[in-house]
Amino acid sequence: AKASMKCKENFTSQGVSNLLWAFANAGHVDSDLFSSLAPVTSSLLVECNSQALANIAWAYAVSNVDDDSLFGKNSPFVAVCTEKANDFTSGGVSQLHQWNIWRKELTGAPSDLPPSVQQRGLKAFMSKGFQKSALQENVVSELSYLGFPLQQEVVTPNGYRLDIIVELDGKRVGIEVDGPSHF
């Protein structure tokens, strides 16, 4: 991460996108790295293809690092994504959807993405398949054995899938067994 920060001015749009995605995908959240790269990334947005934009958005959302120079009102991020909206693959628009949810939760502001992109992203995100893990099956088995009423693979209005919902003292509690592997 430190080596990347030292040569950040030499990155191409593809290079910075790949680097951010790799760190986020590996679960190596380095907020200093992401914050350091945000202004450089912002300056390269117009050169990014749709996949690079999706990777950047997803990486910052997964890493939970926000930066006004990259995503703020004066940043070209939403405008560039809107301009390239038809170029996003199903996977890319799904990543953009995750970023969009994260931004709305973080800022409390409505999305700046066009409704058509939001709807396409939600549809792509919700259409992703899922696979239960052995660990999840073991947790379900134990909770059932203990007599907890539960539901499995519950989809939220935003398209997230919770592994288990348990009724506990009259309240519904969501349980995510496998964590970030679903993100």
Side-chain angles (χ1 to χ4, degrees), residues 3-76:
S4 299
M5 286 190 268
K6 289 179 184 174
C7 64
K8 65 186 177 188
E9 300 303 325
N10 298 326
F11 278 111
T12 63
S13 59
Q14 183 73 42
V16 75
S17 164
N18 289 348
L19 179 78
L20 292 166
W21 179 89
F23 271 89
N25 193 50
H28 183 80
V29 177
D30 186 325
S31 58
D32 290 339
L33 172 67
F34 278 70
S35 294
S36 171
L37 291 177
V40 172
T41 304
S42 183
S43 72
L44 295 170
L45 288 175
V46 294
E47 299 172 25
C48 289
N49 63 25
S50 60
Q51 188 58 57
L53 292 167
N55 286 348
I56 290 165
W58 181 85
Y60 275 88
V62 168
S63 300
N64 198 30
V65 177
D66 190 30
D67 193 284
D68 278 345
S69 70
L70 184 55
F71 302 123
K73 289 286 183 193
N74 295 325
S75 168

Side-chain angles (χ1 to χ4, degrees), residues 39-179:
V40 172
T41 304
S42 183
S43 72
L44 295 170
L45 288 175
V46 294
E47 299 172 25
C48 289
N49 63 25
S50 60
Q51 188 58 57
L53 292 167
N55 286 348
I56 290 165
W58 181 85
Y60 275 88
V62 168
S63 300
N64 198 30
V65 177
D66 190 30
D67 193 284
D68 278 345
S69 70
L70 184 55
F71 302 123
K73 289 286 183 193
N74 295 325
S75 168
F77 185 80
V78 169
V80 173
C81 287
T82 301
E83 179 183 306
K84 299 180 182 191
N86 294 329
D87 299 339
F88 284 96
T89 64
S90 178
V93 78
S94 180
Q95 288 176 301
L96 201 56
H97 174 72
Q98 288 174 292
W99 169 82
N100 193 40
I101 292 170
W102 169 72
R103 285 287 294 167
K104 286 195 286 189
E105 289 173 355
L106 190 68
T107 66
S111 174
D112 291 327
L113 288 173
S116 61
V117 175
Q118 292 180 56
Q119 291 164 359
R120 190 170 152 230
L122 176 61
K123 182 178 177 184
F125 188 66
M126 291 182 73
S127 71
K128 292 169 104 177
F130 68 93
Q131 190 172 24
K132 294 179 189 176
S133 69
L135 175 61
Q136 181 178 339
E137 291 294 342
N138 290 339
V139 171
V140 166
S141 177
E142 292 299 319
L143 289 171
S144 296
Y145 176 77
L146 293 171
F148 288 104
L150 57 86
Q151 296 173 287
Q152 294 185 63
E153 301 301 331
V154 177
V155 179
T156 70
N158 285 334
Y160 281 109
R161 185 178 303 274
L162 293 170
D163 291 337
I164 306 165
I165 299 281
V166 177
E167 186 90 19
L168 183 63
D169 295 330
K171 294 182 181 175
R172 293 174 47 149
V173 178
I175 300 173
E176 180 60 43
V177 176
D178 296 313

